[in-house]
Amino acid sequence: MAKNHKYPGDSLTFTAAAAVTSGTAMLVGAFFGVVGNAAAIGEKYVLHITDAWELPCLGTDVIAAGDVLYWDDTNDRLTKTATDNTKVAIATEASADGVVTVVAKIIPGLAA
């Protein structure tokens, strides 16, 4: 391993600016991921920025496997609507109208 390697990039550690809950999705700057552990303000938490996760989505979206998904930071959910939202993932399964979760693969770098 090269001497300048610091750590694997599947997850990153941040200091909570507000309380965070394990399992919630969030944007941290240009990073999108799922919180791995609960943390109070000032405590460290892990943000998983890869893998596929079941996450909240807009229930009126009809999502097909392979659709690009955007994070609606105002409503804390994925959507197919690009306007005013951040591209973060690709659906790995379909999600029908009325369903409020979708399985999505986080794609590191999409939020950049």
Side-chain angles (χ1 to χ4, degrees), residues 53-70:
W53 302 83
E54 184 175 22
L55 298 171
C57 68
L58 179 61
T60 55
D61 279 348
V62 176
I63 299 170
D67 281 350
V68 173
L69 299 173
Y70 302 83

Side-chain angles (χ1 to χ4, degrees), residues 16 18-24 35-41 43-46:
V20 295
T21 304
S22 177
T24 59
V35 176
N37 60 287
I41 295 172
E43 293 181 340
K44 300 285 187 187
Y45 68 94
V46 173

